[in-house]
Amino acid sequence: MAKTIFKQIIDKEIPAQIVYEDDLCVVFHDVHPQAPVHLLVVPKKEIVSFNELTAEDTPLLGHLFAVIQKLAKEFHLDNGYRIVNNCGKDGGQSVAHLHFHLLGGCQL
Ligand code: AMP
């Protein structure tokens, strides 16, 4: 199967504005930002959507949320922010690799 665009970013085959990376995830700016701060938090593990998460992914999920909290601080989203996950076709998911949107920097 062809790699998703996010897997290609993880593998450094296409560029992205990466703001954070560790062993488990990569975070980069969304190319079509919906807010002054719009980051995508993407696990390196290839998980198609939120619906494919299993019990073994619980620590990974906790890590992703800890990274979101850390980045919210670094990007000075002191008044709050929104975490979004679009799951599947009806959820409006357009890239079949699990990711969380972190949006903030204005009143949403
Ligand atoms: P979703 O619709 O929840 O699957 O979100 C996919 C997001 O990925 C959209 O907000 C797109 O703007 C964003 N996106 C697509 N391609 C890229 C890319 N190459 N670099 C950064 N963001 C992208």
Side-chain angles (χ1 to χ4, degrees), residues 5-6 9 14 28-32 38 40 86 92-95 99 101:
I5 194 128
F6 289 174
I9 289 171
I14 62 166
F28 49 89
H29 288 279
D30 195 296
V31 273
H32 297 119
H38 187 172
L40 297 171
N86 297 321
Q93 183 176 0
S94 62
V95 179
H99 54 282
H101 299 251

Side-chain angles (χ1 to χ4, degrees), residues 32-39 102-106 108:
H32 297 119
Q34 305 297 313
V37 175
H38 187 172
L39 302 176
L102 171 58
L103 299 139
C106 66
L108 294 162

Side-chain angles (χ1 to χ4, degrees), residues 35-92:
V37 175
H38 187 172
L39 302 176
L40 297 171
V41 179
V42 183
K44 291 185 172 176
K45 182 176 176 183
E46 289 183 276
I47 301 169
V48 171
S49 80
F50 191 87
N51 211 36
E52 275 70 37
L53 283 164
T54 67
E56 86 170 17
D57 298 314
T58 302
L60 171 62
L61 205 48
H63 178 73
L64 297 177
F65 277 91
V67 167
I68 286 172
Q69 202 179 62
K70 168 183 146 65
L71 285 166
K73 201 165 284 177
E74 282 179 18
F75 278 79
H76 308 292
L77 304 181
D78 305 322
N79 290 326
Y81 47 88
R82 184 174 292 170
I83 302 165
V84 173
N85 172 257
N86 297 321
C87 179
K89 184 169 168 286
D90 283 1

